[in-house]
Amino acid sequence: KYPLPGIVLPVSSVGTDSMTTTCAICYLDFKEDNVSRAHLPCCERVGSTVQFCIPCLVILSERSTSLDNITECPRCKKYIQVRNGDIINVDQAPIECAMCKQKRIASDSNASVCSACFSGMNSPLRYECSQCHRVQRIPHPMYRYQESTTVFSTASWACHQRCGDYTKWRIVTQDICNVPIEDAPEGWGLREQEFEAIRQIRRGERQVGGSFSSCSIM
């Protein structure tokens, strides 16, 4: 469904010389709490101060809206996938999207458009124009270019309501709940809310002494 994975690094290849001893999401200690440190093939550096555990990345991967559980690396935002305990770096050459005309990774379902436009085409959200303030459905996730839910985007899209020009956009309040948490801009705070929910899951697992579970937190 998705582009063929590039680099595969098994958990066994993870080093132990990092200064950081805890996961940046669940805050569990790799040694004291006996959790596996994740080695990220996209941005791993010796001595990195930001580290993650395998269970937290598994949850992020399984909560992804993509068909193959591909999610963004929580450190560098490149696409990764967790498969059988391995962190896989997903890589593909970009194409010029027929919809937004930008150089992006092609969608698996439609090779002529990028994955962002394909997602927007299947679930177009409503946005308010910065000039005429009319509402228009846009087949592209314009919310990605909003620093917060109350400001207009830094990128432009053609207004077909009244302006007849490229304008900035702001998602309407009623459609904010339709934005995938893992895809929302960091400034919105939704990702941190998800991390906190994952922490609650991990704490619950530790309290009952059970093994890792991929139960939903939404």
Side-chain angles (χ1 to χ4, degrees), residues 112-211:
S112 65
V113 299
C114 66
S115 56
C117 281
F118 182 78
S119 174
M121 290 164 60
N122 282 276
S123 181
L125 301 179
R126 295 171 295 171
Y127 297 86
E128 174 192 353
C129 174
S130 62
Q131 294 187 22
C132 69
H133 297 286
R134 292 196 173 189
V135 174
Q136 173 178 317
R137 286 191 181 274
I138 298 179
H140 187 86
M142 296 300 292
Y143 56 80
R144 293 181 178 180
Y145 316 107
Q146 292 182 234
E147 293 183 358
S148 72
T149 58
T150 60
V151 302
F152 288 96
S153 62
T154 56
S156 60
W157 193 273
C159 176
H160 302 299
Q161 302 304 307
R162 175 178 293 176
C163 302
D165 195 4
Y166 285 87
T167 60
K168 305 301 177 61
W169 300 86
R170 176 173 60 194
I171 190 170
V172 299
T173 303
Q174 295 85 344
D175 279 9
I176 293 176
C177 62
N178 295 322
V179 174
I181 293 178
E182 72 273 10
D183 198 34
E186 186 174 351
W188 291 21
L190 299 183
R191 191 65 158 174
E192 179 55 35
Q193 292 177 25
E194 182 181 43
F195 286 171
E196 179 56 33
I198 292 175
R199 292 176 195 127
Q200 294 295 332
I201 289 179
R202 300 286 285 132
R203 293 185 189 117
E205 292 169 352
R206 304 295 293 186
Q207 290 175 356
V208 300
S211 59

Side-chain angles (χ1 to χ4, degrees), residues 94-105:
I95 53 100
E96 180 177 318
C97 176
M99 179 69 70
C100 66
K101 305 301 181 183
Q102 301 297 311
K103 290 287 187 180
R104 300 178 184 274
I105 296 176

Side-chain angles (χ1 to χ4, degrees), residues 15-24 30 37-40 42-52 73-76:
T16 59
D17 55 353
S18 173
M19 295 172 57
T20 303
T21 62
T22 59
C23 170
F30 298 123
R37 186 196 307 264
H39 186 92
L40 299 169
C42 47
C43 59
E44 191 67 29
R45 292 182 178 84
V46 176
S48 174
T49 58
V50 180
Q51 300 286 337
F52 304 94
C73 168
R75 185 160 58 195
C76 73

Side-chain angles (χ1 to χ4, degrees), residues 3-11 13 39-44 70 76 78-83 85-92:
L4 294 176
I7 305 172
V8 178
L9 292 176
V11 176
S13 67
H39 186 92
L40 299 169
C42 47
C43 59
E44 191 67 29
I70 293 177
C76 73
K78 291 184 179 179
Y79 291 112
I80 60 172
Q81 182 185 47
V82 183
R83 184 187 302 168
D86 294 332
I87 308 298
I88 300 171
N89 183 30
V90 179
D91 191 19
Q92 183 187 29

